[in-house]
Amino acid sequence: MKQQVYDILKGKVLLDEGAEKNWVMLLFLSFLALVMIGTSHSAERKVYELASKKQELKKYRSEFAMGRSHLMKLKMESYVETQVSGMKIVPPSEPPIKLVVKK
């Protein structure tokens, strides 16, 4: 057992006769290691992109909420009255007349 470990560490396993099967296995394991490293990098990049997209979504949602509340304020009748009070414009005391068009 001890001799086999020394043979592996010294590289005799790859140089002895019948070493072709060892080389094939070593190349196969190297290929699998490269594929595993590549997929882990790809997954990590996707996780990072997802986190940045979530932050961007939060930012846009807060901007949307702020814009909507500002628009609600602008549409309020009391706000419009204060803005046009300097122009001597007042709301009408009578409701509008409905026109009906007959064919």
Side-chain angles (χ1 to χ4, degrees), residues 25-66:
M25 181 58 84
L26 184 65
L27 290 175
F28 178 69
L29 292 176
S30 299
F31 173 73
L32 286 180
L34 288 175
V35 169
M36 187 177 78
I37 291 170
T39 54
S40 68
H41 282 290
S42 175
E44 199 170 308
R45 182 176 44 247
K46 287 179 183 179
V47 167
Y48 177 75
E49 286 178 16
L50 184 62
S52 68
K53 296 294 182 189
K54 282 185 180 180
Q55 287 295 105
E56 193 175 345
L57 181 63
K58 279 184 181 179
K59 183 181 85 167
Y60 288 139
R61 280 187 178 165
S62 67
E63 285 180 12
F64 173 72
M66 286 174 43

